[in-house]
Amino acid sequence: MAVIILSHDVNDFEVWKSHYYADAARRESLSLNELAVGNVSDNPNKAYMIWEGDPVKVDQMLHDPELAEKMKAAGVVNAPEVVVLNT
């Protein structure tokens, strides 16, 4: 088990967040435990997701072409930066 932190720039955080939550079943199917989702005041359009789970499953999810299309529709600007903390 690891803690996985993802971040990426988005066009509009609130729009992105609605798309993110609409795709919750994908993360649930991978047994990802969501610890936090948010942004920071000095860069409100940088989205952060913190999950507990299997980094191999996250990597597979991030290479799914269907997810790439959903991310594009949600206004994701760049590929996610991923940090894995082994706990």
Side-chain angles (χ1 to χ4, degrees):
M1 189 76 58
V3 173
I4 301 121
I5 304 167
L6 279 82
S7 65
H8 51 187
D9 297 315
V10 298
N11 290 323
D12 181 305
F13 179 76
E14 293 302 322
V15 169
W16 169 84
K17 189 167 69 169
S18 67
H19 285 264
Y20 172 81
Y21 284 119
D23 198 42
R26 178 189 313 271
R27 295 180 299 281
E28 290 170 9
S29 74
L30 299 174
S31 300
L32 294 176
N33 179 30
E34 184 177 286
L35 302 176
V37 173
N39 58 4
V40 291
S41 59
D42 66 341
N43 191 353
N45 288 327
K46 182 135 186 138
Y48 290 87
M49 297 137 280
I50 304 174
W51 305 318
E52 186 176 53
D54 182 345
V56 172
K57 290 181 180 179
V58 171
D59 186 60
Q60 291 170 344
M61 176 183 72
L62 292 175
H63 287 91
D64 180 346
E66 180 184 313
L67 180 62
E69 287 300 315
K70 288 184 179 256
M71 289 171 61
K72 183 178 177 181
V76 173
V77 175
N78 55 1
E81 296 176 35
V82 180
V83 175
V84 176
L85 305 176
N86 297 312
T87 59

Coordinates of all heavy atoms in Angstrom, one line a residue:
M1 N 0.9 -1.2 0.0 CA 0.0 0.0 0.0 C 0.9 1.2 0.0 O 1.9 1.3 0.6 CB -0.9 0.0 1.2 CG -2.0 1.0 1.3 SD -3.4 0.7 0.2 CE -4.0 -0.8 0.8
A2 N 0.5 2.2 -0.7 CA 1.2 3.5 -0.8 C 0.3 4.7 -0.9 O -0.9 4.5 -1.1 CB 2.1 3.5 -2.1
V3 N 0.8 5.8 -0.6 CA 0.1 7.1 -0.8 C 0.5 7.6 -2.1 O 1.7 7.8 -2.4 CB 0.3 8.0 0.4 CG1 -0.3 9.4 0.1 CG2 -0.2 7.5 1.7
I4 N -0.5 8.0 -3.0 CA -0.2 8.4 -4.3 C -0.7 9.9 -4.4 O -1.9 10.1 -4.1 CB -0.9 7.6 -5.4 CG1 -0.3 6.1 -5.3 CG2 -0.6 8.1 -6.8 CD1 -1.4 5.1 -5.0
I5 N 0.2 10.8 -4.8 CA -0.2 12.2 -5.0 C -0.1 12.5 -6.4 O 1.0 12.4 -7.0 CB 0.7 13.1 -4.1 CG1 0.7 12.7 -2.7 CG2 0.3 14.6 -4.3 CD1 1.8 13.3 -1.8
L6 N -1.2 13.0 -7.0 CA -1.2 13.4 -8.4 C -1.5 14.9 -8.5 O -2.3 15.4 -7.7 CB -2.3 12.7 -9.2 CG -2.0 11.3 -9.7 CD1 -2.2 10.3 -8.6 CD2 -2.8 11.0 -10.9
S7 N -1.0 15.6 -9.4 CA -1.4 17.0 -9.7 C -1.3 17.2 -11.2 O -0.5 16.6 -11.9 CB -0.4 17.9 -8.9 OG 0.9 17.8 -9.4
H8 N -2.1 18.1 -11.6 CA -2.1 18.6 -13.0 C -2.8 19.9 -13.1 O -3.6 20.2 -12.3 CB -2.6 17.6 -14.0 CG -3.9 17.0 -13.8 ND1 -4.4 16.0 -14.5 CD2 -4.8 17.2 -12.8 CE1 -5.6 15.6 -14.0 NE2 -5.9 16.4 -13.0
D9 N -2.4 20.7 -14.1 CA -3.1 21.9 -14.4 C -4.4 21.7 -15.1 O -4.5 20.8 -15.9 CB -2.2 22.9 -15.2 CG -0.9 23.2 -14.5 OD1 -1.0 23.5 -13.3 OD2 0.2 23.2 -15.1
V10 N -5.4 22.5 -14.8 CA -6.7 22.4 -15.4 C -7.2 23.8 -15.8 O -6.7 24.8 -15.3 CB -7.7 21.8 -14.5 CG1 -7.3 20.3 -14.1 CG2 -7.9 22.6 -13.2
N11 N -8.1 23.9 -16.8 CA -8.6 25.2 -17.2 C -9.4 25.8 -16.2 O -9.4 27.0 -16.0 CB -9.4 25.0 -18.5 CG -8.5 24.7 -19.7 OD1 -7.4 25.2 -19.8 ND2 -9.0 23.8 -20.6
D12 N -10.2 25.0 -15.5 CA -11.2 25.6 -14.5 C -11.4 24.5 -13.4 O -11.9 23.4 -13.7 CB -12.5 25.9 -15.1 CG -13.5 26.5 -14.1 OD1 -13.8 25.8 -13.1 OD2 -14.0 27.6 -14.4
F13 N -10.9 24.7 -12.2 CA -10.9 23.7 -11.2 C -12.3 23.2 -10.9 O -12.5 22.0 -10.7 CB -10.3 24.3 -9.9 CG -10.3 23.2 -8.8 CD1 -9.4 22.2 -8.7 CD2 -11.2 23.3 -7.7 CE1 -9.4 21.2 -7.7 CE2 -11.3 22.4 -6.7 CZ -10.3 21.3 -6.7
E14 N -13.3 24.1 -10.8 CA -14.7 23.6 -10.5 C -15.2 22.7 -11.6 O -15.9 21.7 -11.3 CB -15.6 24.8 -10.2 CG -15.2 25.6 -8.9 CD -15.2 24.7 -7.6 OE1 -16.1 23.8 -7.5 OE2 -14.4 24.9 -6.8
V15 N -15.0 23.1 -12.8 CA -15.4 22.2 -13.9 C -14.7 20.9 -13.9 O -15.3 19.8 -14.0 CB -15.2 22.9 -15.3 CG1 -15.4 21.9 -16.4 CG2 -16.0 24.1 -15.4
W16 N -13.4 20.9 -13.7 CA -12.6 19.7 -13.6 C -13.1 18.8 -12.4 O -13.3 17.6 -12.6 CB -11.1 20.0 -13.3 CG -10.4 18.8 -13.0 CD1 -9.8 17.8 -13.8 CD2 -10.1 18.3 -11.6 NE1 -9.3 16.8 -13.1 CE2 -9.4 17.1 -11.8 CE3 -10.4 18.8 -10.4 CZ2 -9.0 16.3 -10.7 CZ3 -10.0 18.0 -9.3 CH2 -9.3 16.8 -9.4
K17 N -13.4 19.4 -11.3 CA -13.9 18.6 -10.1 C -15.2 17.9 -10.4 O -15.3 16.8 -9.9 CB -14.0 19.6 -8.9 CG -14.2 18.9 -7.6 CD -14.0 19.8 -6.4 CE -15.1 20.8 -6.3 NZ -15.1 21.5 -5.0
S18 N -16.1 18.5 -11.1 CA -17.3 17.8 -11.4 C -17.1 16.6 -12.3 O -17.7 15.6 -12.1 CB -18.4 18.8 -12.0 OG -17.9 19.2 -13.3
H19 N -16.2 16.7 -13.2 CA -15.8 15.6 -14.1 C -15.1 14.5 -13.2 O -15.4 13.3 -13.4 CB -14.9 16.0 -15.2 CG -15.6 16.7 -16.3 ND1 -16.1 16.1 -17.5 CD2 -15.9 18.0 -16.5 CE1 -16.6 17.0 -18.2 NE2 -16.6 18.2 -17.7
Y20 N -14.2 14.9 -12.4 CA -13.5 14.0 -11.5 C -14.5 13.2 -10.7 O -14.4 11.9 -10.6 CB -12.5 14.8 -10.6 CG -11.9 13.9 -9.6 CD1 -10.7 13.2 -9.9 CD2 -12.3 13.9 -8.3 CE1 -10.1 12.4 -8.9 CE2 -11.7 13.1 -7.3 CZ -10.6 12.4 -7.6 OH -10.0 11.6 -6.7
Y21 N -15.4 13.8 -10.0 CA -16.3 13.1 -9.2 C -17.3 12.2 -10.0 O -17.7 11.1 -9.5 CB -17.1 14.0 -8.2 CG -16.2 14.4 -7.1 CD1 -15.9 15.7 -6.8 CD2 -15.6 13.5 -6.2 CE1 -15.1 16.1 -5.8 CE2 -14.8 13.8 -5.2 CZ -14.5 15.2 -5.0 OH -13.7 15.6 -3.9
A22 N -17.6 12.6 -11.2 CA -18.4 11.8 -12.1 C -17.8 10.5 -12.5 O -18.4 9.5 -12.9 CB -18.8 12.6 -13.3
D23 N -16.5 10.4 -12.3 CA -15.7 9.2 -12.7 C -15.2 8.4 -11.5 O -14.3 7.6 -11.6 CB -14.5 9.7 -13.6 CG -13.9 8.5 -14.4 OD1 -14.6 7.7 -14.9 OD2 -12.6 8.4 -14.4
A24 N -15.9 8.6 -10.4 CA -15.5 7.9 -9.1 C -15.5 6.4 -9.2 O -14.7 5.8 -8.6 CB -16.4 8.4 -8.0
A25 N -16.4 5.9 -10.0 CA -16.5 4.4 -10.1 C -15.2 3.8 -10.6 O -14.8 2.7 -10.2 CB -17.7 4.0 -11.0
R26 N -14.5 4.5 -11.5 CA -13.2 4.0 -12.0 C -12.2 3.8 -10.8 O -11.6 2.8 -10.7 CB -12.6 4.9 -13.0 CG -11.3 4.5 -13.5 CD -10.6 5.6 -14.4 NE -11.5 6.2 -15.4 CZ -11.7 5.7 -16.6 NH1 -11.1 4.7 -17.0 NH2 -12.6 6.3 -17.4
R27 N -12.1 4.8 -10.0 CA -11.2 4.7 -8.8 C -11.7 3.7 -7.8 O -10.8 3.0 -7.2 CB -11.0 6.1 -8.2 CG -10.4 7.1 -9.2 CD -10.2 8.5 -8.6 NE -11.4 9.1 -8.2 CZ -12.2 9.7 -9.1 NH1 -12.0 9.7 -10.4 NH2 -13.3 10.3 -8.7
E28 N -13.0 3.6 -7.6 CA -13.5 2.6 -6.6 C -13.2 1.2 -7.1 O -12.9 0.3 -6.3 CB -15.0 2.8 -6.5 CG -15.3 4.1 -5.7 CD -16.8 4.4 -5.7 OE1 -17.6 3.6 -6.2 OE2 -17.1 5.5 -5.2
S29 N -13.3 1.0 -8.4 CA -13.0 -0.4 -9.0 C -11.6 -0.8 -8.8 O -11.3 -2.0 -8.8 CB -13.4 -0.4 -10.5 OG -12.4 0.3 -11.3
L30 N -10.7 0.2 -8.6 CA -9.3 -0.1 -8.4 C -8.9 -0.1 -6.9 O -7.7 -0.1 -6.5 CB -8.4 0.9 -9.1 CG -8.6 1.0 -10.6 CD1 -7.8 2.1 -11.2 CD2 -8.2 -0.4 -11.2
S31 N -9.9 0.0 -6.0 CA -9.8 0.1 -4.6 C -8.9 1.2 -4.1 O -8.1 1.1 -3.2 CB -9.2 -1.2 -4.1 OG -10.1 -2.3 -4.4
L32 N -9.0 2.4 -4.8 CA -8.3 3.6 -4.4 C -9.1 4.3 -3.3 O -10.2 4.6 -3.5 CB -8.0 4.5 -5.6 CG -7.1 4.0 -6.6 CD1 -7.0 5.0 -7.8 CD2 -5.7 3.7 -6.1
N33 N -8.4 4.5 -2.2 CA -9.0 5.2 -1.1 C -8.7 6.7 -1.2 O -7.5 7.1 -1.1 CB -8.5 4.7 0.2 CG -9.1 5.4 1.4 OD1 -10.2 5.9 1.4 ND2 -8.4 5.4 2.5
E34 N -9.7 7.5 -1.5 CA -9.4 9.0 -1.7 C -9.2 9.6 -0.3 O -10.0 9.6 0.6 CB -10.6 9.6 -2.3 CG -10.4 11.1 -2.7 CD -11.6 11.6 -3.4 OE1 -11.7 11.3 -4.6 OE2 -12.4 12.4 -2.8
L35 N -8.0 10.2 -0.2 CA -7.7 11.0 1.1 C -8.0 12.4 1.0 O -8.4 13.1 1.9 CB -6.2 10.7 1.4 CG -5.8 9.3 1.6 CD1 -4.3 9.2 1.9 CD2 -6.6 8.6 2.7
A36 N -7.8 13.0 -0.2 CA -8.0 14.5 -0.4 C -8.0 14.8 -1.9 O -7.3 14.2 -2.7 CB -7.0 15.3 0.3
V37 N -8.8 15.8 -2.2 CA -8.9 16.4 -3.5 C -9.0 17.9 -3.3 O -9.8 18.3 -2.5 CB -10.1 15.9 -4.4 CG1 -10.2 16.6 -5.7 CG2 -9.9 14.4 -4.6
G38 N -8.2 18.7 -4.0 CA -8.3 20.1 -3.8 C -7.3 20.9 -4.7 O -6.7 20.3 -5.6
N39 N -7.2 22.1 -4.4 CA -6.2 23.0 -5.0 C -5.6 23.9 -4.0 O -5.9 23.8 -2.8 CB -6.9 23.8 -6.1 CG -8.0 24.7 -5.6 OD1 -8.3 24.7 -4.5 ND2 -8.7 25.3 -6.6
V40 N -4.7 24.8 -4.4 CA -4.1 25.7 -3.4 C -4.4 27.2 -3.8 O -4.6 27.5 -5.0 CB -2.5 25.5 -3.3 CG1 -2.3 24.2 -2.7 CG2 -1.9 25.6 -4.7
S41 N -4.4 28.0 -2.8 CA -4.8 29.4 -3.1 C -3.9 30.2 -4.1 O -4.4 31.0 -4.8 CB -4.9 30.2 -1.8 OG -3.7 30.2 -1.1
D42 N -2.6 29.9 -4.1 CA -1.8 30.6 -5.0 C -1.8 30.1 -6.5 O -1.2 30.6 -7.4 CB -0.3 30.7 -4.5 CG 0.4 29.3 -4.5 OD1 -0.3 28.3 -4.5 OD2 1.6 29.3 -4.4
N43 N -2.5 28.9 -6.7 CA -2.7 28.4 -8.0 C -4.0 27.6 -8.1 O -4.0 26.4 -8.1 CB -1.5 27.5 -8.4 CG -1.5 27.1 -9.9 OD1 -2.4 27.4 -10.6 ND2 -0.4 26.5 -10.4
P44 N -5.1 28.3 -8.1 CA -6.4 27.6 -8.0 C -6.7 26.6 -9.1 O -7.6 25.8 -9.0 CB -7.4 28.8 -8.0 CG -6.7 29.9 -8.6 CD -5.2 29.7 -8.3
N45 N -6.0 26.7 -10.3 CA -6.3 25.8 -11.3 C -5.2 24.7 -11.4 O -5.0 24.1 -12.5 CB -6.4 26.5 -12.7 CG -7.7 27.3 -12.7 OD1 -8.7 26.8 -12.1 ND2 -7.7 28.4 -13.3
K46 N -4.6 24.4 -10.3 CA -3.7 23.2 -10.2 C -4.5 22.2 -9.3 O -4.7 22.5 -8.1 CB -2.4 23.5 -9.7 CG -1.5 22.3 -9.6 CD -0.1 22.6 -10.1 CE 0.7 21.4 -10.2 NZ 1.5 21.4 -11.4
A47 N -4.9 21.1 -9.9 CA -5.7 20.1 -9.1 C -4.8 19.1 -8.5 O -3.8 18.6 -9.1 CB -6.7 19.4 -10.0
Y48 N -5.1 18.8 -7.2 CA -4.3 17.7 -6.5 C -5.3 16.6 -6.0 O -6.4 16.9 -5.6 CB -3.7 18.3 -5.2 CG -2.5 19.3 -5.5 CD1 -2.8 20.6 -5.8 CD2 -1.2 18.8 -5.6 CE1 -1.7 21.5 -6.1 CE2 -0.2 19.7 -5.9 CZ -0.4 21.0 -6.1 OH 0.6 21.9 -6.4
M49 N -4.8 15.4 -6.2 CA -5.5 14.2 -5.7 C -4.6 13.4 -4.9 O -3.4 13.2 -5.3 CB -6.0 13.4 -6.9 CG -7.0 14.1 -7.8 SD -6.6 13.8 -9.6 CE -5.3 14.9 -9.8
I50 N -5.0 13.0 -3.7 CA -4.2 12.1 -2.8 C -5.0 10.9 -2.5 O -6.2 11.0 -2.0 CB -3.9 12.9 -1.5 CG1 -3.1 14.2 -1.9 CG2 -3.0 12.0 -0.7 CD1 -2.8 15.1 -0.6
W51 N -4.5 9.8 -2.9 CA -5.1 8.5 -2.7 C -4.2 7.5 -2.0 O -3.0 7.7 -2.0 CB -5.4 7.8 -4.1 CG -6.2 8.6 -5.1 CD1 -7.3 9.4 -4.8 CD2 -6.0 8.7 -6.5 NE1 -7.8 9.9 -6.0 CE2 -7.0 9.5 -7.0 CE3 -5.0 8.1 -7.3 CZ2 -7.1 9.8 -8.4 CZ3 -5.1 8.4 -8.7 CH2 -6.1 9.2 -9.2
E52 N -4.8 6.5 -1.4 CA -4.1 5.4 -0.8 C -4.5 4.2 -1.7 O -5.6 4.0 -1.9 CB -4.5 5.2 0.6 CG -3.7 4.1 1.4 CD -4.1 4.1 2.8 OE1 -5.3 3.9 3.1 OE2 -3.2 4.1 3.7
G53 N -3.4 3.5 -2.1 CA -3.7 2.3 -3.0 C -2.5 1.8 -3.6 O -1.4 2.0 -3.2
D54 N -2.7 1.0 -4.7 CA -1.7 0.3 -5.4 C -1.2 1.2 -6.6 O -1.9 1.5 -7.5 CB -2.3 -1.0 -6.0 CG -1.3 -1.8 -6.7 OD1 -0.2 -1.3 -7.1 OD2 -1.6 -3.0 -6.9
P55 N 0.1 1.6 -6.5 CA 0.6 2.5 -7.6 C 0.6 1.8 -8.9 O 0.5 2.5 -10.0 CB 2.0 2.8 -7.1 CG 2.3 2.0 -5.9 CD 1.1 1.4 -5.5
V56 N 0.7 0.5 -9.0 CA 0.7 -0.2 -10.3 C -0.7 0.0 -10.9 O -0.8 0.3 -12.1 CB 1.0 -1.7 -10.1 CG1 0.8 -2.4 -11.4 CG2 2.5 -1.8 -9.7
K57 N -1.7 -0.1 -10.1 CA -3.1 0.1 -10.7 C -3.3 1.5 -11.1 O -3.9 1.8 -12.1 CB -4.1 -0.3 -9.6 CG -4.2 -1.8 -9.4 CD -5.3 -2.1 -8.3 CE -5.4 -3.6 -8.1 NZ -6.4 -3.9 -7.0
V58 N -2.7 2.5 -10.4 CA -2.8 3.9 -10.8 C -2.1 4.1 -12.1 O -2.7 4.8 -13.0 CB -2.3 4.8 -9.7 CG1 -2.2 6.2 -10.2 CG2 -3.2 4.7 -8.4
D59 N -1.0 3.5 -12.3 CA -0.2 3.7 -13.5 C -1.0 3.1 -14.7 O -1.1 3.7 -15.8 CB 1.1 3.0 -13.4 CG 2.0 3.2 -14.6 OD1 2.3 4.4 -14.9 OD2 2.4 2.3 -15.3
Q60 N -1.6 1.9 -14.5 CA -2.4 1.3 -15.5 C -3.6 2.2 -15.9 O -4.0 2.4 -17.0 CB -2.9 0.0 -15.1 CG -1.8 -1.1 -15.0 CD -2.2 -2.4 -14.4 OE1 -3.3 -2.4 -13.7 NE2 -1.4 -3.4 -14.5
M61 N -4.3 2.8 -14.8 CA -5.4 3.7 -15.0 C -5.0 4.9 -15.9 O -5.7 5.3 -16.8 CB -6.0 4.1 -13.7 CG -7.1 5.1 -13.8 SD -7.7 5.7 -12.2 CE -6.4 6.8 -11.7
L62 N -3.8 5.5 -15.5 CA -3.4 6.7 -16.2 C -3.0 6.4 -17.7 O -2.9 7.4 -18.5 CB -2.2 7.3 -15.5 CG -2.5 7.9 -14.1 CD1 -1.2 8.3 -13.4 CD2 -3.5 9.0 -14.2
H63 N -2.8 5.2 -18.1 CA -2.5 4.9 -19.5 C -3.8 4.4 -20.2 O -3.6 3.9 -21.4 CB -1.4 3.8 -19.5 CG -0.1 4.4 -19.2 ND1 0.4 4.5 -17.9 CD2 0.8 5.1 -19.9 CE1 1.6 5.1 -17.9 NE2 1.9 5.5 -19.1
D64 N -4.9 4.5 -19.6 CA -6.2 4.1 -20.3 C -6.6 5.2 -21.3 O -6.8 6.3 -20.8 CB -7.2 3.9 -19.2 CG -8.6 3.4 -19.7 OD1 -8.8 3.5 -21.0 OD2 -9.4 3.0 -18.9
P65 N -6.8 4.9 -22.5 CA -7.2 5.9 -23.5 C -8.5 6.5 -23.2 O -8.8 7.7 -23.5 CB -7.3 5.1 -24.8 CG -6.4 3.9 -24.6 CD -6.5 3.6 -23.2
E66 N -9.4 5.7 -22.6 CA -10.7 6.3 -22.2 C -10.6 7.4 -21.1 O -11.2 8.4 -21.2 CB -11.6 5.2 -21.6 CG -13.0 5.7 -21.2 CD -13.9 4.7 -20.6 OE1 -14.0 3.5 -21.1 OE2 -14.4 4.9 -19.5
L67 N -9.7 7.2 -20.2 CA -9.4 8.2 -19.2 C -8.8 9.4 -19.8 O -9.1 10.6 -19.5 CB -8.5 7.7 -18.1 CG -8.2 8.7 -17.0 CD1 -9.5 9.2 -16.3 CD2 -7.2 8.2 -16.0
A68 N -7.9 9.3 -20.8 CA -7.3 10.4 -21.5 C -8.4 11.3 -22.1 O -8.3 12.5 -22.0 CB -6.3 9.9 -22.5
E69 N -9.4 10.7 -22.7 CA -10.5 11.4 -23.3 C -11.3 12.2 -22.3 O -11.7 13.3 -22.5 CB -11.4 10.5 -24.1 CG -10.8 10.0 -25.4 CD -10.4 11.2 -26.4 OE1 -11.3 12.1 -26.5 OE2 -9.3 11.2 -26.9
K70 N -11.5 11.5 -21.1 CA -12.3 12.1 -20.0 C -11.5 13.3 -19.5 O -12.1 14.4 -19.1 CB -12.6 11.1 -19.0 CG -13.7 10.2 -19.4 CD -14.1 9.2 -18.3 CE -15.2 8.3 -18.7 NZ -16.5 8.7 -18.2
M71 N -10.2 13.1 -19.3 CA -9.4 14.2 -18.8 C -9.4 15.4 -19.8 O -9.5 16.6 -19.3 CB -7.9 13.7 -18.6 CG -7.8 12.8 -17.4 SD -6.2 11.9 -17.2 CE -5.1 13.3 -17.0
K72 N -9.3 15.2 -21.0 CA -9.4 16.2 -22.0 C -10.7 17.0 -21.9 O -10.7 18.2 -21.9 CB -9.2 15.6 -23.4 CG -9.1 16.6 -24.5 CD -8.9 16.0 -25.9 CE -8.9 17.0 -27.0 NZ -8.7 16.3 -28.3
A73 N -11.8 16.2 -21.8 CA -13.1 16.9 -21.7 C -13.2 17.7 -20.4 O -14.0 18.7 -20.4 CB -14.2 15.8 -21.7
A74 N -12.5 17.3 -19.4 CA -12.5 18.0 -18.1 C -11.7 19.2 -18.1 O -11.7 20.0 -17.1 CB -12.1 17.0 -17.0
G75 N -10.9 19.4 -19.1 CA -10.1 20.6 -19.2 C -8.7 20.4 -18.6 O -8.0 21.4 -18.2
V76 N -8.2 19.2 -18.5 CA -6.8 19.0 -18.1 C -5.9 19.5 -19.1 O -6.0 19.2 -20.3 CB -6.6 17.5 -17.8 CG1 -5.2 17.2 -17.4 CG2 -7.5 17.0 -16.6
V77 N -4.9 20.2 -18.6 CA -3.9 20.9 -19.5 C -2.7 20.1 -19.8 O -2.1 20.2 -20.9 CB -3.6 22.3 -18.9 CG1 -2.5 23.0 -19.8 CG2 -4.8 23.2 -18.8
N78 N -2.2 19.3 -18.8 CA -1.0 18.6 -19.0 C -1.1 17.2 -18.3 O -2.0 16.9 -17.6 CB 0.2 19.4 -18.4 CG 0.0 19.8 -16.9 OD1 -1.0 19.5 -16.3 ND2 0.9 20.5 -16.3
A79 N -0.1 16.4 -18.6 CA 0.0 15.1 -18.0 C 0.1 15.2 -16.5 O 0.8 16.1 -16.0 CB 1.1 14.3 -18.6
P80 N -0.5 14.3 -15.7 CA -0.3 14.4 -14.3 C 1.1 14.2 -13.8 O 1.8 13.3 -14.4 CB -1.2 13.3 -13.7 CG -1.8 12.6 -14.9 CD -1.3 13.2 -16.1
E81 N 1.5 14.9 -12.8 CA 2.7 14.6 -12.0 C 2.3 13.6 -11.0 O 1.3 13.8 -10.3 CB 3.3 15.9 -11.4 CG 3.7 16.9 -12.5 CD 4.2 18.2 -11.8 OE1 4.8 18.1 -10.7 OE2 3.9 19.3 -12.4
V82 N 3.1 12.6 -10.8 CA 2.7 11.5 -9.8 C 3.9 11.4 -8.8 O 5.0 11.2 -9.2 CB 2.5 10.2 -10.5 CG1 2.1 9.1 -9.5 CG2 1.4 10.3 -11.6
V83 N 3.5 11.3 -7.6 CA 4.5 11.1 -6.5 C 3.9 9.9 -5.7 O 2.8 9.9 -5.3 CB 4.7 12.3 -5.6 CG1 5.6 11.9 -4.4 CG2 5.2 13.5 -6.3
V84 N 4.8 8.9 -5.5 CA 4.3 7.7 -4.7 C 5.1 7.7 -3.4 O 6.4 7.7 -3.4 CB 4.6 6.4 -5.5 CG1 4.2 5.2 -4.6 CG2 3.8 6.4 -6.8
L85 N 4.4 7.7 -2.3 CA 5.0 7.6 -1.0 C 4.8 6.2 -0.5 O 3.7 5.8 -0.3 CB 4.4 8.6 0.0 CG 4.4 10.1 -0.4 CD1 3.6 10.9 0.6 CD2 5.8 10.6 -0.6
N86 N 5.9 5.5 -0.2 CA 5.8 4.2 0.3 C 5.6 4.3 1.8 O 6.3 5.0 2.5 CB 7.0 3.4 0.0 CG 7.2 3.1 -1.4 OD1 6.3 2.8 -2.1 ND2 8.4 3.4 -2.0
T87 N 4.5 3.7 2.3 CA 4.2 3.8 3.7 C 4.4 2.5 4.5 O 4.5 1.5 3.9 CB 2.7 4.3 3.9 OG1 1.9 3.4 3.3 CG2 2.5 5.6 3.3

